[in-house]
Amino acid sequence: EAGVTQFPSHSVIEKGQTVTLRCDPISGHDNLYWYRRVMGKEIKFLLHFVKESKQDESGMPNNRFLAERTGGTYSTLKVQPAELEDSGVYFCASSQRTVQETQYFGPGTRLLVL
Amino acid sequence: DQQVKQNSPSLSVQEGRISILNCDYTNSMFDYFLWYKKYPAEGPTFLISISSIKDKNEDGRFTVFLNKSAKHLSLHIVPSQPGDSAVYFCAATFTGGGNKLTFGTGTQLKVEL
């Protein structure tokens, strides 16, 4: 069974540009999460989808970040326009249920905004 | 306000000895705790978890202990192996919270030969 996949693995963009990150969860996992790790600090929650619906987006930094999960399969996270402080590693995770359930993480997308 | 804390940024242990990684939390609502291991340039990999109804969970060389009154958990690795060298993250969640994880800052474990 394939794990969580993320694309691209790395992205280097200039301030003001737009970047779109993609996550493909484990097949059959209704729950999809986005997290971010900045400057070697803790991994912080961004948002949670249940199928195609946003369940919790309390961790989204601001309105420059837009996440979608059309059809309840893969998800995209767009940053527009990107700022220097958006640099970090963006992780996607998925799980079957939402109660005491293990989340499986993808390899992450390393974003560098110059 | 950091709700999950790993106060030791690094730990060095000799091969074959026990590694003990510690984690403290402040939110009394947390009722499920997980440990993840992370190698450079990879995503976190699930290691072991424990529900708040238990005080110990064991899986092979890995044991997690939970002390609810102290809001403290620890991960024991016995015996430690060089392949265990990685960053270990403690994470917590609570029922009704959508399973979103709150992570600590991680502890870099180095197992030396």
Side-chain angles (χ1 to χ4, degrees):
Chain A
E1 181 183 296
V4 177
T5 58
Q6 293 186 245
F7 181 83
S9 59
H10 295 80
S11 181
V12 182
I13 61 173
E14 293 190 349
K15 176 183 172 180
Q17 289 186 321
T18 298
V19 63
T20 300
L21 314 180
R22 173 172 169 144
C23 168
D24 287 79
I26 292 172
S27 178
H29 282 193
D30 288 340
N31 295 277
L32 187 150
Y33 304 82
W34 284 98
Y35 294 86
R36 179 174 72 172
R37 189 181 189 204
V38 174
M39 291 287 289
K41 295 184 179 178
E42 74 269 29
I43 300 168
K44 281 195 172 181
F45 167 81
L46 295 178
L47 87 157
H48 168 210
F49 282 99
V50 177
K51 296 184 181 178
E52 68 276 6
S53 300
K54 290 177 187 173
Q55 185 76 13
D56 180 355
E57 49 184 334
S58 61
M60 294 287 263
N62 50 61
N63 59 10
R64 294 185 294 103
F65 288 75
L66 176 63
E68 294 180 326
R69 193 183 181 194
T70 307
T73 54
Y74 71 91
S75 174
T76 58
L77 180 63
K78 182 162 73 173
V79 185
Q80 179 183 31
E83 297 289 343
L84 300 180
E85 63 265 23
D86 300 332
S87 297
V89 184
Y90 290 78
F91 293 106
C92 175
S94 71
S95 69
Q96 282 188 313
R97 296 180 296 269
T98 55
V99 179
Q100 298 195 354
E101 179 82 354
T102 299
Q103 291 181 28
Y104 298 92
F105 281 76
T109 293
R110 282 142 192 83
L111 175 65
L112 179 61
V113 183
L114 301 175
Chain B
D1 176 35
Q2 195 145 2
Q3 299 183 60
V4 177
K5 299 178 184 178
Q6 293 177 257
N7 292 319
S8 298
S10 64
L11 174 68
S12 186
V13 170
Q14 280 195 319
E15 181 181 13
R17 306 293 289 267
I18 183 172
S19 295
I20 300 176
L21 297 97
N22 294 303
C23 177
D24 296 291
Y25 63 96
T26 57
N27 190 339
S28 300
M29 292 181 65
F30 288 144
D31 59 6
Y32 192 62
F33 304 88
L34 308 91
W35 283 94
Y36 283 84
K37 177 171 72 173
K38 186 184 176 307
Y39 293 118
E42 294 184 9
T45 301
F46 171 72
L47 204 53
I48 192 169
S49 62
I50 187 167
S51 166
S52 60
I53 63 173
K54 296 183 177 181
D55 54 19
K56 176 183 174 182
N57 189 25
E58 193 172 350
D59 184 1
R61 297 186 296 115
F62 303 92
T63 302
V64 56
F65 296 92
L66 175 62
N67 182 334
K68 288 187 292 293
S69 61
K71 293 190 177 69
H72 176 84
L73 63 156
S74 61
L75 174 68
H76 293 211
I77 306 173
V78 183
S80 301
Q81 299 173 353
D84 295 331
S85 297
V87 178
Y88 289 77
F89 288 96
C90 171
T93 184
F94 60 92
T95 302
N99 206 35
K100 73 179 181 185
L101 298 176
T102 300
F103 282 88
T105 50
T107 296
Q108 172 74 59
L109 173 65
K110 183 176 181 182
V111 180
E112 298 172 320
L113 298 171

